[in-house]
Amino acid sequence: MTDLSKYIREVPNFPKDGIQFKDITPLLQNPEAIKEAVAQFLSLIGDEKIDKVVAIESRGFLFGLLLAEKLNAGFVPIRKPGKLPAETYAEVYDMEYGKDTLEIHCDAIKKGERIILHDDVLATGGTARTACNLVKKMGAEIVQCNFLVELEFLNGRNKLNSYAVESLLKY
Ligand code: AMP
């Protein structure tokens, strides 16, 4: 099994001092690593029937769409405000400084659909939690939240404690 950790580059002090950024672009350059990551995600999902993969802007889109294709599911983007063209639902959340908002198209998910929520990195969990709130408000079922990288010391999974959470690499 390919060790995916060697394809994650740590960039100190990006985007600001004190943040150790987990850069997934080396992984994206390597076709074997891409295949391995997709295979590991699929094995964590097992034989669950999935209707939609919902992924968070922007790095969540990369593996989110690959997973959707493999799962024979649809793909739904969650985006920063003002990016989605049609009618949206929005959810505001607290950031370190001030507030931010995530949006989803109102017609993107139907009641009762079975969802995978995906992003590249789980840090404090605020972003993923907000995305889950949007999906839940639309009446869908979150089967699993999954991430390439989890920063365990930030306890993000505590914010997602009503959902199954999986990550390929833990730091
Ligand atoms: P959080 O809401 O704190 O869980 O932050 C998650 C979002 O911020 C994800 O969309 C990540 O892409 C990004 N993020 C947070 N911390 C990092 C980090 N150390 N390295 C790379 N991306 C990060």
Side-chain angles (χ1 to χ4, degrees):
M1 189 163 89
T2 313
D3 175 13
L4 293 177
S5 66
K6 63 182 186 207
Y7 298 102
I8 305 295
R9 173 167 52 195
E10 312 228 358
V11 183
N13 302 316
F14 182 89
K16 57 186 179 191
D17 278 357
I19 303 286
Q20 183 88 327
F21 192 84
K22 299 286 190 265
D23 177 20
I24 66 166
T25 62
L27 194 158
L28 300 175
Q29 290 176 33
N30 187 294
E32 292 311 315
I34 293 171
K35 284 189 200 113
E36 176 66 23
V38 170
Q40 290 188 22
F41 277 125
L42 292 176
S43 102
L44 290 170
I45 294 164
D47 54 9
E48 299 278 5
K49 163 90 185 83
I50 304 300
D51 297 303
K52 302 264 169 68
V53 175
V54 177
I56 304 171
E57 180 174 353
S58 57
R59 291 181 298 275
F61 296 171
L62 300 164
F63 279 94
L65 186 60
L66 290 174
L67 280 183
E69 193 273 334
K70 291 286 185 204
L71 291 165
N72 199 27
F75 174 84
V76 174
I78 285 191
R79 300 207 61 181
K80 309 273 165 57
K83 303 279 190 184
L84 290 169
E87 196 186 346
T88 57
Y89 296 123
E91 177 104 6
V92 179
Y93 64 110
D94 289 318
M95 297 282 288
E96 200 176 344
Y97 304 104
K99 293 186 182 299
D100 213 341
T101 305
L102 292 179
E103 293 183 347
I104 190 167
H105 271 149
C106 297
D107 63 358
I109 293 173
K110 294 184 192 67
K111 229 182 197 149
E113 282 189 326
R114 291 167 56 78
I115 304 296
I116 296 282
L117 191 286
H118 170 79
D119 201 1
D120 66 331
V121 174
L122 175 63
T124 66
T127 309
R129 170 62 184 267
T130 306
C132 287
N133 290 348
L134 281 168
V135 171
K136 288 301 286 179
K137 280 184 185 164
M138 296 169 86
E141 181 189 344
I142 297 170
V143 176
Q144 182 183 99
C145 301
N146 65 33
F147 306 88
L148 271 169
V149 170
E150 175 176 357
L151 305 179
E152 286 187 297
F153 56 94
L154 294 174
N155 300 315
R157 61 171 64 222
N158 293 352
K159 289 210 180 77
L160 303 173
N161 56 9
S162 38
Y163 309 113
V165 177
E166 300 285 359
S167 49
L168 303 192
L169 294 166
K170 296 184 166 84
Y171 291 84

